[in-house]
Every structure is written in C-alpha cells, then in structure tokens.
Amino acid sequence: MHRITGRAGGDSLIEMSPSDSYNDDLNGYPQHPSSSTGSFQQGQSGSPFTPDVYVETCESLSSSLASLAPSDHSDSPHFETHTLERISALTGISRKRALFLKFRSRIDKQQHSKDSVFFRDGVRRIDFVLSYVDDKDGERKQERRKVYEANLEKVGLELETEDKSESEDGKTYFVKVHAPWEVLATYADVLKIKVPFKVNDIPDNSEMPMNWLSTPFRLPEHIMHPEPDFFTAPFNKSKSDFFLIDDKDTFFPPSTRNRIVYYILSRCSYFRDECADKDKKGIKRLLNNGTYTAAFPLHDSRYWTRSRDDKCESERYNLYKHWARFLCFFKEQPLNLVRKYYGEKIGIYFAWLGFYTEMLLFAAVVGTICFIYGFLTYDDNQWSKEICSEKIGGNIVMCPLCDKKCSYWKLNTTCNSSWQSHLFDNVGTVFFAIFMGIWVTLFLEFWKRRQARLEYEWDLVDFEEEQQQLQLRPEYETKCTNRKMNRITQEMEPYLPITSKCARTCLSGATVLLWISLIIACIIGVIAYRLAVYAAFASIMKDSPTTHLEVVGPYITPQLATSVTASCINFVIIMILNLMYERVAIWITDMEIPKTHLEYENKLTVKMFLFQFVNYYSSCFYVAFFKGKFVGYPGKYAYMFGWSTLRNEECDPGGCLIELTTQLVIVMTGKQVWGNIQEALVPWLMNWWGSRKARNHPESLYSRWEQDHDLQGFGQLGLFYEYLEMVIQFGFITLFVASFPLAPLLALINNIIEVRVDAWKLTTQFRRPVAAKAHSIGAWEEILNGMAVLSVVTNAFIVAFTSDMIPRLVYMYAYQPEMNMKGYINNSLSVFNISDFLTDSRPDDDENPAWFNSSITTCRYRDYRYPPGHEKQYSHTMQFWHILAAKLAFIIIMEHVVFVVKFLVAWLIPDVPSDVRARVKRERYLVQEYLHNYEVEKLKIQLSQNSNECNCTPMIYPSLSKHEVLSECL
C-alpha cells in the first residue's frame, strides 16, 4: 500500500516550490494581502484581465504544458524555467503571471477533490482527516507521525497527504484517511455492527386519527425517513453474502465508517515494535502532545448549498434547511436523518430534548392558568387589603428587621409586595404543585416508551452488552498492565487491581466533597453578605431620593435591594465555580481510569451533577427552607452561628415565597440566557475570526477539509454539557415550581430556541463529531428519576413552610366563625413591648422615623406568641401548634397522594410498547431462521461440490440446536 503525497503523480503541471509566493505582485500590481491567490482584475499594462482572457490563457497554458512536460524531466528546475519562458512566449503574458496561472490551473484541475469528500481519484471516500503543522520540536513529532502513519497503513488504511503549500494558510499539512472494504468489514465484525439482511415485512399500523391536522408540522418523507426499514443482524465477515450488499462502497454509511476509523486511530500505536514503552498509542495522546493539531471526519457538503459532487450525499445541507434554521421551530425534527449523519448518541439527545419540550407544553399551559387565576383573584385578596388599609396596616407599627440601623416601620409600606406575593401564593399554587408531581411521572414513563421504540428502530437493542465487552477505552487498555481471564469472552483482558481502584475512588470522593464544601462556604458568605448589607441598605435608603419616584419608588426597598444584589452575586459565584470545577471533575475522572466510554461518562455525570446541584440549588434551598425560620423574636433574636453580630435574616414582609421567586427567576433566567449566548455566539465569533482570511479565497482554493478544520471541535464532552444544562433546568421547574408557576413557560420558550440553537451550531459551527452509539440517555435517566421523587418533597415543604397558605386555611376554618379572611393580619402578628428590647438590639434614636414618638409602646412581628403581661409571655400559642400540625399533615397527605398516583401511572404504562416488543421478537426469530437456512444452503452447495471427495457423514443441520432455542425468543 502506497502513500500518496500532495502532488499527484499523474499531474504534468510544474509544481510551485515552497520558496515561491503566489502572493507576490503580479506584473507590478499589488495584490490584496488577505488573499493567497492574487488578483485577476489586472492584466498586462493595466488592461482588464477578463474571465474570457483567463479561460483562453488557461487553455493555451494547458496545451503548452501537455506538449512541454515530458515525465522524465518534470521535476527539473531547468525544465520549469524553460517551460515558463515558452508559455510566456506562447500566451503573451509575463513569466510571473504564467507561474501564477499554472498554479491556478492546477487547483482548478483538482476542483473535484477540493469540493468533495473523496481522494483525488474521486473514488475513495475520505473517512477521516488528520492535520499537523511543522514547528520547532519537529523532529520528534515527525518521527511519531511517520511511525504512526506507517502503522495505520499496516492495519490496512489508505492515506493521502496534502502538502502545506496547497493549504489556505500555507503551513498546515492534511492527511486524508480512507478505509477500504476489507478494513471496514473486519472491524464491523469485531464491533458487531448491525447491518440489514432483509426488508422489514411487518405492516406499519401506527396511523393516528385526524392525522391531517399535523400536516403543517411535517417534513418531507425523504427527510424524515432517509433509509428504508430493514431487519438487521450483527455483521459477520465470513457470511458477507448473507447481508443485503448492493454496493460495497456505500454499504456502510459515512457515520459508521468514521466510527470504525476512529476506533482504529484510537488504538494504533506510534512506537516501533522494538520499543519497550507500550503506553504510546492512540490519536488522543498525539493530539495532546501536539503531534497532530486536529483529527475529525468531514462534513459531506457546505451547509448553505449542495455539494457539486453528485456522489456526495449533501445531508448536512438537508439538516440545515429542514432542521437547524430557527424558522423551522414549529416543525418536527428529522431524527432519523440526525441519527444517520451524526450517530445514535447525538440522535438520542435531540429525541429526548424534543420530547421534553413537547411535554413542557402541558406544564406551561397549566402553570399559566394558575398564574392567571392569581391575577383574576387579585381583588379578592382580603389580607392584602388589610395590609394596604390606612386604618389597619397604617396603624400597625412593626419591629425593626435588624439591629441598631433598622427603624420601626408601618405594615402598609409592604402593600406592593403583598399584592405581588398573591400572584404566586394562592390556592392554584397547591393544585399546580400536585399536578407537577404527576406530570414528572408521566414525562419519565412516556419517555421510556419513546426510548424503547428508538432502541428498536435504531438497532440499539442489547447494545449495552456490546459496549461493555468490546469497546474498552484506549486509556484503560494502556494504563492497566495486569491481565485476567474474562469469564464471558474467555479472553485475557486488562484490569485495574482492587487496591488501586479503591484508592483512586477514595481520592476522587474526597475531592468532590472538598469542592462541595467550598460551594457551601460561598453560600454562607452570600448569606453573611445579605445579613451585613441589609442594615446598610435600610439606613441608606430611608432618605434616598428613589423612594419618592412615582412608579418604581414603592418597589425599591432594602429587602428587594438585598435580595437582588445577593442573587446576582450568587449567580456570578456559580459561573466562576463552574469553570473551575469542570477541569477538576475531568481530572479526577481520568484518574479513576474507567473501563468503558459509558462508564467514563456515567462517573463524570455523577460528579458534575452533584456539584451543579449544590451550586445552583443551594441558594434556593436556603431561601425556601432556612430563611426566616430561625430568627427568634424581639428581645431574644437568633444570630448567625450563635455568636456573631449578624442577626439571622427575616423574610420579606410579603413572605419568603416572593423572595424564592426572585431568586429562582434570576438564577434560572440568567443561566439560560448566558448559556444560549455562550453556546451560539462564542463558536460563531471564533469561527468568524479564524476564517477571516479564507473567506476572501475562491472556493476552489478553500477545500472541504480546510473549511472543516477552521470550525470548532465538538469534543468528547460536548453532548455532556448539553444534557447537564437541560437537567439543571429540569430541576428548577420541578424542585421549586410551587413558588413560580411560570417556570415551565420560561423553560418551554428557552427549549424551543435551544433545539434550533443546538442544531444550528452542530450543523454550521462545529466539525462533524465522530459517530457513537448509545441506547439511552445514560446516567441522566436515574438522575431525573431521583429529582422527580425529590420534587414532590420539596414542593410539599414549600407550600407548607414557605407559603402562607396553611396558616390562612387554619385561620379561616378554625379561628374565624364567618369562614372568611377578615382579621387575619391582626391575628398573624404578635405583640412585643418596646421596653423589653436589649440595648444591642434597640434602634438608634437617629434612625427612627419622624412619626415615631414616646406614645408608641409596642411593636408587632410575624409569629404566634403570647403578648407581654401574659403568664406565658413570648412563648408559642396553641394556634402555632395547630398550624404546625396542619403543615405536617399537609406534607404527609400531599406526598402520599402524589406518590400513589405516580406508582399507579408507572404501573399502568408499560416501559416497552406492545408493538415494539412484538417487532423485537419477530426480528430475533427471523435472524435465527435466516441464519439457519443460510447455513443449510451453504452446506448443500459445499456438499454438492465435494460429493466425490467426502467420505465422512456430514452434519446436515449444523445450526439446528440454535434454531430450537427460538421458543425462548417468542
């Protein structure tokens, strides 16, 4: 097998030496500095050099070269000089112009190879591309590349190298890799890749009633189903005639081809056989040490137009046209085409994201209805009317919310926040919390059914066993020097000793705990900030000019300023810690040396999610379950850690629920907006900057591999971050949805954009990822199940302890004979004698408002305690215990109701649809039957050919024992 260099052997054109520059001024006319081709606008003596003149010159040049280029002297420098002089004399152009047109003619002659995904012969497909640049450390890297590429050729791969003089930047070499049929067939057998052996003969009766209603949302049939439906079986090279092979060049699709080639690249060594260091293998290590700058499969066309080569499928163009544009947001996703082009792993992600977005529609509708209910009952809010009333709220003097710097205040100053709180804190909130507990169950159960259908349609049934047994990570194979017998395969395989495994796991766990502790420390710091600055805001803002603004003045309060600034600071801390922890999580996961890619991703998933869970949700948990719960009472306040001077924070006068809503909106919306900007804008800007010079080149000078090389690499963990982003969002809309019914609506709007943004950046801004198989969403499914269970508990506690719903119901049904809410505000506030304030807690005299005078002897605070002078003064009243009992009873009842419904729904909905189960059994049966018949026919042919030579008794039905086992499949 021979290496083909950048200069085609059959090309009779004189090659340009690396020292020559076609950027030089042509005939005295300066060229554009960013163009590596020069300008065609000026001819000799400043006359226009028209396209007709150019074509004429090229034809003359080509005929001249044909007559002047004997093959035995074509590399001679004297021949080059002589030829250029002859061409100049024949065409009437300068020698420098002849040199330039010679180069352009050569490029145009190779236009086919530049615009397509094939070698120069136009037959062999480019399955992978490696790129590298010569640098100061060139000798060592050159030796590595030489050995590595030689070993690739030994395996059977074919290589073709593009010289740096032909690249757009003039310094990058491109090695194109092609896998011939023998290599593909061998490794398809090794990897047990499923291929078609029979057209699917099961009729599809999945027509839905009123199907015409979905017509506006459909895509063309050739886009939705780019391939016919086949029964498939694992490929067996020795039985290749058993499968439906019409054309060996197209039998394996490009996604399967690049998956096989990457499997070879990741395991091929770059050391000589006599070297002792066996750790030197794999393209990943060569990329890390700079031997190669990139390794990627090619897109099959430019995304905005079809390929000029008829043999190129142009599936990238179809994906962009029908999927990646935002104007297609209401259309169904072409998942089969996504799977065919990018592989099953990426296809599963977009299937899950699309299904999640569809299910969010129902949650968003119900949440919006609950919000509208709160808005429509705005005027029936009796407790807010009492707060805003001058006779009630205007006469209630409230105790200071902090020591020294906070003054007494009147309850009616919280009028606006109480109205705002009612929008989210009403009876509809309880209903929505219960609904979301059931919605989560329906979402997970229906996704299992959808996933089971995809597993069958995409040949992923029983894939996990293949993944575990056959696709070991190259890092695991090289770092684990010990070998042991695999009981299943009966082959020697590498393994990690249990002592080393335990030590690595312990170190990894300790690192995760350390970083989680760091997050908690940061959250405590934010809490301390809230406690410290509230007093400052209260002192500064009492005379602030903003309080006199007509529209926004009443809303700008010390509580709001503290809550918003703390939430923003917390969000910034979250983003910074995320950037730092990502590197740590990858490092400790690499240190554990997971066995398979699936195990690697699962370990990294757990680590990243634990960190992100604490990072994103801890502030919300604090506001929901800790803030305002342990404040004590006037005269005996509770302080942070019990010894500091920072008094524990009380809830906003409108209730803690409105603060939880504020925190949730800032963190959730901020994360989604920042995520979309980061996902879409950053790759676009980097690609725009990286290809700024190449954009000025003619298309024939900017080849398919160079265009892809200038794109961003998707990376092994590219999909991981997409899942993580969506799962964190899933937590926001389930764990704390009782505080903000509009959260599903915001998530729905974000996800409609997210689907198209992810599709757009994957299709236009990133190199084509290596195709990979995955039968499910992996460890994320278990995480979603855990969050679904936890969401029922958190929402029950939010309604019971964060919302004021239970105290109101207890008051209305147990303490108000007329069964209404009149007098609730006065009932929910306890009385404290001002003279009982400790010196350290009493407000400074200059902080008190002008209306405060010596006639005011008491203040009120939120609690249920006996008044001063009572024999049990300042201890909890019986109503407090009634309310606490009602809260606990509500939690138990809500959890049991939701969990019973969840388990009932999960039991009623089977994980695998009945028709899919039947199809799987049918396919297994046909595989066994057709293989049996194939073996029998093959044996008959063999016996008929050797009937005169065979003296032994043949086994007529060698596979009969396997055939009898078919009853187990049925």
Side-chain angles (χ1 to χ4, degrees):
M1 196 164 294
H2 301 287
R3 167 81 61 87
I4 304 173
T5 64
R7 296 171 170 80
D11 196 342
S12 60
L13 298 177
I14 304 167
E15 293 298 330
M16 199 175 184
S17 70
S19 61
D20 293 331
S21 173
Y22 51 90
N23 271 331
D24 293 338
D25 297 348
L26 299 181
N27 204 22
Y29 292 90
Q31 306 304 310
H32 195 284
S34 64
S35 174
S36 55
T37 65
S39 173
F40 294 97
Q41 302 303 317
Q42 299 290 338
Q44 286 182 312
S45 304
S47 61
F49 195 72
T50 64
D52 293 338
V53 175
Y54 167 67
V55 172
E56 235 176 76
T57 306
C58 283
E59 290 176 355
S60 177
L61 176 64
S62 299
S63 61
S64 301
L65 290 172
S67 62
L68 298 173
S71 58
D72 53 341
H73 299 293
S74 59
D75 293 332
S76 168
H78 299 289
F79 172 77
E80 178 178 349
T81 303
H82 178 67
T83 301
L84 290 174
E85 290 174 353
R86 292 284 303 276
I87 292 173
S88 178
L90 286 171
T91 59
I93 60 176
S94 67
R95 181 179 179 277
K96 188 174 290 187
R97 176 56 62 88
L99 177 65
F100 175 74
L101 287 178
K102 174 272 306 177
F103 180 76
R104 270 308 302 246
S105 180
R106 179 175 57 80
I107 292 296
D108 289 339
K109 192 172 182 179
Q110 294 179 358
Q111 189 175 26
H112 174 83
S113 65
K114 291 285 183 182
D115 190 49
S116 72
V117 292
F118 293 91
F119 277 17
R120 288 193 195 87
D121 56 17
V123 176
R124 291 173 293 174
R125 175 180 286 272
I126 301 172
D127 296 312
F128 230 86
V129 174
L130 310 177
S131 66
Y132 63 91
V133 177
D134 285 336
D135 52 21
K136 297 178 181 179
D137 192 23
E139 293 185 3
R140 293 181 59 191
K141 293 178 181 178
Q142 186 176 4
E143 179 63 22
R144 291 191 198 124
R145 286 192 293 267
K146 182 179 179 181
V147 176
Y148 183 69
E149 292 171 16
N151 288 336
L152 290 178
E153 291 179 332
K154 289 180 181 177
V155 174
L157 298 180
E158 298 177 4
L159 309 179
E160 183 177 81
T161 303
E162 291 287 328
D163 191 80
K164 66 179 181 180
S165 62
E166 296 184 4
S167 65
E168 170 266 325
D169 58 5
K171 59 183 180 181
T172 304
Y173 294 86
F174 292 95
V175 180
K176 298 174 285 186
V177 182
H178 168 75
W181 167 257
E182 284 299 318
V183 175
L184 294 172
T186 300
Y187 282 92
D189 194 349
V190 170
L191 297 176
K192 303 299 179 187
I193 293 175
K194 289 187 175 182
V195 294
F197 69 91
K198 183 183 185 299
V199 177
N200 191 338
D201 58 359
I202 301 178
D204 186 6
N205 300 320
S206 59
E207 287 293 328
M208 296 179 62
M210 306 292 286
N211 203 23
W212 57 272
L213 292 174
S214 62
T215 302
F217 309 104
R218 288 183 181 173
L219 291 174
E221 183 65 20
H222 73 281
I223 299 297
M224 287 301 298
H225 302 284
E227 295 178 318
D229 192 12
F230 292 101
F231 289 122
T232 59
F235 185 77
N236 190 327
K237 185 179 178 182
S238 62
K239 302 174 183 177
S240 58
D241 54 337
F242 171 74
F243 302 98
L244 300 178
I245 305 177
D246 295 329
D247 185 354
K248 291 183 177 181
D249 292 333
T250 60
F251 180 67
F252 293 108
S255 58
T256 302
R257 295 175 68 101
N258 71 56
R259 177 182 161 215
I260 291 174
V261 172
Y262 184 75
Y263 183 87
I264 298 172
L265 294 175
S266 61
R267 283 159 177 78
C268 186
S269 63
Y270 55 91
F271 61 87
R272 298 187 183 277
D273 295 337
E274 61 271 13
C275 295
D277 189 358
K278 303 295 182 181
D279 191 34
K280 295 182 177 180
K281 64 166 57 176
I283 187 62
K284 186 175 179 180
R285 290 178 63 89
L286 290 172
L287 291 171
N288 290 338
N289 61 33
T291 303
Y292 289 100
T293 56
F296 53 92
L298 288 179
H299 284 295
D300 60 4
S301 67
R302 297 184 290 279
Y303 67 84
W304 64 88
T305 184
R306 294 186 179 278
S307 175
R308 299 176 185 176
D309 192 334
D310 295 335
K311 291 188 292 183
C312 295
E313 296 84 356
S314 296
E315 290 173 351
R316 184 191 188 192
Y317 167 76
N318 289 331
L319 285 170
Y320 176 74
K321 181 180 178 181
H322 298 284
W323 180 53
R325 295 187 301 169
F326 183 74
L327 294 178
C328 301
F329 73 92
F330 62 94
K331 296 283 189 179
E332 59 185 339
Q333 294 190 83
L335 294 177
N336 287 320
L337 185 58
V338 174
R339 173 246 181 170
K340 181 185 177 186
Y341 191 74
Y342 290 114
E344 289 77 3
K345 191 173 183 179
I346 291 178
I348 283 282
Y349 164 72
F350 280 102
W352 176 82
L353 180 57
F355 183 79
Y356 172 43
T357 304
E358 292 171 10
M359 290 294 292
L360 271 177
L361 178 63
F362 302 101
V365 169
V366 177
T368 305
I369 292 174
C370 291
F371 177 78
I372 293 174
Y373 170 81
F375 183 79
L376 294 177
T377 57
Y378 205 66
D379 295 332
D380 300 331
N381 184 3
Q382 182 63 39
W383 53 90
S384 293
K385 291 179 180 179
E386 293 183 358
I387 291 175
C388 297
S389 171
E390 285 293 332
K391 295 182 179 179
I392 302 176
N395 291 326
I396 295 178
V397 178
M398 301 295 292
C399 298
L401 295 175
C402 66
D403 295 340
K404 293 292 186 180
K405 295 298 182 182
C406 294
S407 63
Y408 299 97
W409 52 283
K410 291 186 177 180
L411 183 61
N412 64 349
T413 59
T414 65
C415 177
N416 290 320
S417 63
S418 68
W419 285 112
Q420 295 165 15
S421 179
H422 175 72
L423 293 174
F424 308 106
D425 191 2
N426 52 65
V427 178
T429 302
V430 180
F431 167 77
F432 189 59
I434 297 174
F435 169 80
M436 285 302 294
I438 300 172
W439 175 87
V440 168
T441 304
L442 291 173
F443 164 65
L444 294 175
E445 291 301 319
F446 282 124
W447 166 246
K448 289 178 184 177
R449 291 171 61 84
R450 174 70 171 136
Q451 185 172 264
R453 190 175 297 277
L454 288 176
E455 282 186 31
Y456 167 73
E457 293 176 354
W458 291 357
D459 299 323
L460 300 172
V461 179
D462 301 328
F463 170 71
E464 185 175 2
E465 288 75 12
E466 301 171 19
Q467 180 91 357
Q468 292 286 352
Q469 295 177 13
L470 300 172
Q471 299 188 24
L472 299 179
R473 293 177 67 238
E475 294 84 357
Y476 182 85
E477 294 177 337
T478 55
K479 293 181 180 179
C480 299
T481 55
N482 298 313
R483 294 288 188 272
K484 70 175 182 179
M485 179 71 72
N486 186 316
R487 296 181 180 180
I488 299 174
T489 62
Q490 292 297 306
E491 294 179 358
M492 298 298 292
E493 66 175 15
Y495 81 100
L496 190 65
I498 189 66
T499 54
S500 177
K501 191 173 184 178
C502 290
R504 293 171 185 270
T505 303
C506 291
L507 180 59
S508 174
T511 306
V512 173
L513 290 177
L514 175 66
W515 276 85
I516 290 178
S517 301
L518 178 62
I519 300 172
I520 296 174
C522 291
I523 296 301
I524 293 174
V526 173
I527 295 172
Y529 164 85
R530 299 172 73 116
L531 301 180
V533 302
Y534 178 77
F537 278 130
S539 179
I540 294 170
M541 297 179 68
K542 66 175 182 175
D543 297 323
S544 174
T546 58
T547 58
H548 303 294
L549 296 176
E550 292 184 3
V551 180
V552 298
Y555 298 96
I556 303 176
T557 62
Q559 294 89 350
L560 178 65
T562 303
S563 179
V564 171
T565 56
S567 298
C568 293
I569 291 173
N570 182 67
F571 177 71
V572 172
I573 292 175
I574 286 172
M575 294 294 104
I576 294 173
L577 289 176
N578 274 347
L579 294 175
M580 296 170 63
Y581 183 74
E582 283 178 10
R583 297 179 179 272
V584 175
I586 294 173
W587 174 73
I588 58 179
T589 306
D590 289 337
M591 180 196 64
E592 291 183 51
I593 318 180
K595 185 175 182 180
T596 64
H597 292 287
L598 180 64
E599 185 180 347
Y600 181 90
E601 290 192 7
N602 288 345
K603 286 178 177 291
L604 183 61
T605 297
V606 172
K607 292 180 182 64
M608 285 295 293
F609 178 75
L610 284 175
F611 177 85
Q612 299 273 26
F613 184 91
V614 179
N615 200 13
Y616 280 106
Y617 303 143
S618 54
S619 58
C620 293
F621 273 103
Y622 164 72
V623 174
F625 305 124
F626 296 97
K627 184 179 179 181
K629 307 299 186 294
F630 310 99
V631 297
Y633 62 91
K636 195 176 181 181
Y637 284 118
Y639 290 83
M640 191 175 184
F641 302 122
W643 48 264
S644 69
T645 58
L646 298 175
R647 196 173 105 188
N648 283 353
E649 194 176 9
E650 294 187 41
C651 286
D652 186 279
C656 276
L657 194 72
I658 193 67
E659 289 198 47
L660 178 59
T661 303
T662 303
Q663 180 76 21
L664 184 65
V665 170
I666 289 177
V667 177
M668 178 180 172
T669 307
K671 182 184 183 302
Q672 292 184 164
V673 171
W674 174 253
N676 283 329
I677 292 174
Q678 193 176 21
E679 287 181 26
L681 192 59
V682 172
W684 180 81
L685 286 175
M686 295 180 70
N687 288 335
W688 177 85
W689 180 256
S691 61
R692 62 192 185 281
K693 291 184 178 179
R695 287 194 299 274
N696 296 321
H697 298 331
E699 199 63 53
S700 58
L701 287 176
Y702 195 29
S703 62
R704 162 82 8 241
W705 46 90
E706 288 174 302
Q707 293 178 48
D708 286 8
H709 180 264
D710 288 341
L711 298 177
Q712 299 299 302
F714 190 64
Q716 183 182 357
L717 300 175
L719 211 56
F720 168 81
Y721 294 116
E722 301 296 341
Y723 273 118
L724 183 61
E725 179 186 5
M726 288 295 101
V727 171
I728 293 298
Q729 181 205 81
F730 180 83
F732 280 125
I733 68 165
T734 54
L735 296 177
F736 309 104
V737 75
S739 67
F740 188 47
L742 292 180
L745 178 62
L746 294 181
L748 174 64
I749 296 172
N750 174 80
N751 286 10
I752 290 174
I753 299 173
E754 181 77 20
V755 171
R756 304 303 162 178
V757 167
D758 287 350
W760 174 81
K761 70 179 185 181
L762 195 64
T763 307
T764 67
Q765 304 302 310
F766 285 94
R767 298 169 187 158
R768 185 174 183 173
V770 179
K773 279 186 174 289
H775 74 291
S776 68
I777 61 175
W780 299 112
E781 190 168 342
E782 294 302 320
I783 289 174
L784 292 175
N785 285 322
M787 293 178 73
V789 174
L790 182 60
S791 67
V792 177
V793 180
T794 56
N795 284 302
F797 272 85
I798 287 173
V799 173
F801 287 97
T802 309
S803 165
D804 285 336
M805 183 61 58
I806 302 300
R808 292 170 193 159
L809 294 176
V810 170
Y811 172 77
M812 185 171 67
Y813 289 107
Y815 291 88
Q816 174 55 266
E818 298 180 4
M819 302 285 287
N820 57 40
M821 295 302 296
K822 289 183 178 179
Y824 169 73
I825 293 300
N826 188 62
N827 176 266
S828 64
L829 297 174
S830 298
V831 181
F832 182 76
N833 195 329
I834 291 176
S835 61
D836 293 336
F837 265 120
L838 298 176
T839 305
D840 294 336
S841 301
R842 190 184 304 273
D844 294 338
D845 293 336
D846 57 345
E847 297 291 343
N848 290 327
W851 51 262
F852 185 81
N853 54 55
S854 59
S855 64
I856 300 175
T857 59
T858 60
C859 63
R860 309 293 292 273
Y861 60 98
R862 288 172 56 95
D863 208 343
Y864 295 90
R865 294 179 183 271
Y866 289 108
H870 194 278
E871 60 180 353
K872 297 180 180 178
Q873 69 172 8
Y874 303 141
S875 62
H876 285 119
T877 64
M878 187 57 66
Q879 186 176 355
F880 170 83
W881 300 109
H882 288 165
I883 293 173
L884 180 61
K887 290 180 176 179
L888 297 177
F890 172 81
I891 291 172
I892 294 172
I893 293 172
M894 178 179 169
E895 287 182 356
H896 279 71
V897 168
V898 175
F899 280 135
V900 167
V901 174
K902 281 169 63 71
F903 291 130
L904 183 63
V905 169
W907 178 71
L908 289 175
I909 302 175
D911 292 347
V912 182
S914 57
D915 63 317
V916 173
R917 191 181 294 111
R919 286 169 177 265
V920 171
K921 292 179 179 179
R922 168 73 173 165
E923 182 164 318
R924 288 175 177 171
Y925 168 78
L926 287 176
V927 168
Q928 294 286 354
E929 183 180 42
Y930 273 72
L931 276 174
H932 171 260
N933 294 337
Y934 169 81
E935 292 289 352
V936 171
E937 292 298 324
K938 194 173 182 179
L939 183 60
K940 285 180 180 179
I941 295 173
Q942 183 180 356
L943 290 175
S944 63
Q945 293 176 348
N946 303 323
S947 58
N948 297 328
E949 301 177 4
C950 183
N951 297 321
C952 59
T953 304
M955 182 177 180
I956 303 298
Y957 300 103
S959 303
L960 191 57
S961 58
K962 291 185 180 180
H963 189 61
E964 292 173 347
V965 186
L966 289 178
S967 58
E968 298 181 7
C969 299
L970 301 175

